[in-house]
């Protein structure tokens, strides 16, 4: 019986664990511990960093992990790099459950930037009303542009002051709909959306809403990752696991 470790924190990881449980497979799901209440999982879970590559390799050995499944967010690059290295060190088979990046469609007005710093640079412009959908961890990096109004959507409230004077935070973990995101953008008179190119369906509503409202989007490209085996759907990962 395989004893997989799933690196989670995404809608895709939750779907994978549900399918594993339904198909009688066991394993453990791992969370970084960034959110106060992770989504309840049908598999046993562990929370917190492993302590770099060496820590993950030690965890794999001590817990007799037979397969590692990297189902983290495409922007969780450090964790994904550590997974590749720890699997090489321990000889553990690795697969990443990934999602294709979003592609611009007819009606989209995207400015693509390579990283968060690029998005900060693109916001060095006259005051605007910005929906900033980059997650809590990166907010401070946007402090150099305090001239804007920022609409934030976060899983947990920010402790202490926000790094800009004019902002409104909505605490919501989704799922989001295009109708609701469109209404939200209109209510807050949003001029511009900043988004990571997460891909997948969980966070797509705001991109569709921006298209419908003809709002420009600053789209942050994904970080580069080392080569690894990848699957794009849950069943492919399960097939890999059992064969
Ligand atoms: P990151 O920068 O790649 O990871 C930083 C460190 O956090 C890792 O080196 C590792 O610590 C720990 N870590 C990350 N994911 C972990 C996991 N699933 N289990 C145990 N430890 C983990 O990651 P991040 O961008 O901060 O994202 C953290 C988590 O949030 C990820 O699990 C990701 O799936 C989820 N998430 C991220 C985003 C995003 O935009 N980045 C969006 C939605 C969800 P050690 O080195 O000590 O092992």
């Amino acid at each position: 019986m395989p004893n997989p470790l799933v690196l989670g924190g995404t809608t895709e990881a939750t779907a994978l664990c549900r399918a594993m449980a339904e198909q009688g497979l066991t394993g453990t799901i791992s969370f970084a511990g960034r959110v106060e209440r992770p989504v309840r999982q049908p598999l046993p879970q562990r929370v917190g960093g492993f302590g770099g590559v060496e820590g993950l390799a030690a965890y794999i050995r001590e817990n007799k992990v037979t397969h590692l499944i990297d189902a983290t967010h495409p922007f969780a690059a450090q964790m994904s790099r550590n997974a590749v290295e720890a699997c090489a060190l321990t000889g553990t088979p690795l697969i990443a459950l990934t999602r294709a990046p979003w592609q611009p469609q007819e009606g989209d007005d995207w400015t693509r930037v390579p990283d968060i710093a690029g998005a900060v640079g693109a916001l060095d412009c006259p005051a605007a009303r910005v929906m900033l959908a980059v997650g809590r961890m990166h907010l401070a990096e946007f402090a150099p542009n305090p001239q804007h109004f920022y609409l934030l959507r976060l899983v947990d409230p920010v402790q202490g002051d926000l790094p800009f004077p004019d902002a409104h935070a909505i605490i919501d973990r989704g799922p989001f709909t295009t109708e609701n995101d469109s209404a939200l953008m209109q209510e807050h008179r949003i001029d511009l959306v900043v988004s990571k190119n997460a891909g997948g369906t969980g966070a797509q509503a705001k991109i569709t809403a921006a298209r419908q409202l003809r709002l420009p989007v600053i789209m942050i490209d994904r970080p580069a990752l080392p080569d690894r085996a990848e699957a794009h759907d849950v069943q492919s990962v399960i097939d890999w696991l059992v064969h």
Side-chain angles (χ1 to χ4, degrees):
M1 184 76 150
N3 179 32
L5 174 65
V6 179
L7 303 173
T10 58
T11 312
E12 288 73 13
T14 299
L16 172 65
C17 290
R18 198 173 302 127
M20 284 168 64
E22 281 167 7
Q23 297 185 37
L25 294 164
T26 57
T28 303
I29 180 160
S30 174
F31 292 111
R34 300 277 194 277
V35 302
E36 283 172 19
R37 288 179 302 110
V39 176
R40 192 179 289 270
Q41 302 290 325
L43 295 184
Q45 64 186 55
R46 65 160 303 283
V47 180
F50 297 95
V53 174
E54 291 297 335
L56 178 56
Y59 180 95
I60 289 172
R61 290 192 189 102
E62 281 161 23
N63 293 280
K64 302 193 171 24
V65 171
T66 59
H67 298 71
L68 189 63
I69 300 161
D70 180 359
T72 57
H73 191 273
F75 280 75
Q78 188 60 54
M79 187 70 257
S80 292
R81 291 186 192 116
N82 291 357
V84 169
E85 284 192 45
C87 284
L89 272 178
T90 56
T92 310
L94 166 72
I95 200 163
L97 174 57
T98 64
R99 18 174 160 158
W102 297 316
Q103 299 295 341
Q105 294 182 21
E106 178 81 35
D108 279 327
D109 175 7
W110 289 9
T111 300
R112 289 179 61 176
V113 294
D115 49 25
I116 296 278
V120 175
L123 285 175
D124 183 7
C125 59
R129 298 183 66 84
V130 179
M131 181 172 182
L132 183 62
V134 296
R136 181 167 49 99
M137 308 300 289
H138 291 289
L139 294 182
E141 290 165 66
F142 287 84
N145 294 307
Q147 70 274 30
H148 303 303
F149 161 79
Y150 291 100
L151 174 64
L152 312 172
R153 186 162 54 196
L154 307 166
V155 177
D156 293 310
V158 172
Q159 305 295 333
D161 292 338
L162 289 167
F164 3 79
D166 191 11
H168 179 74
I170 293 169
I171 308 303
D172 191 349
R173 74 188 327 154
F176 306 111
T177 65
T178 303
E179 291 69 27
N180 287 351
D181 277 6
S182 179
L184 191 66
M185 289 174 194
Q186 288 176 289
E187 181 194 342
H188 290 275
R189 295 176 286 116
I190 294 301
D191 305 307
L192 176 67
V193 176
V194 180
S195 174
K196 293 174 174 172
N197 194 336
T201 54
Q204 197 173 21
K206 61 180 176 290
I207 304 305
T208 313
R211 182 181 310 132
Q212 289 177 355
L213 296 172
R214 303 205 169 278
L215 295 180
V217 176
I218 296 175
M219 186 62 82
I220 305 168
D221 278 343
R222 296 170 174 206
L225 291 174
D227 279 344
R228 61 214 173 138
E230 294 189 352
H232 302 293
D233 62 90
V234 161
Q235 194 53 47
S236 301
V237 175
I238 292 185
D239 292 346
W240 171 83
L241 205 51
V242 296
H243 287 119

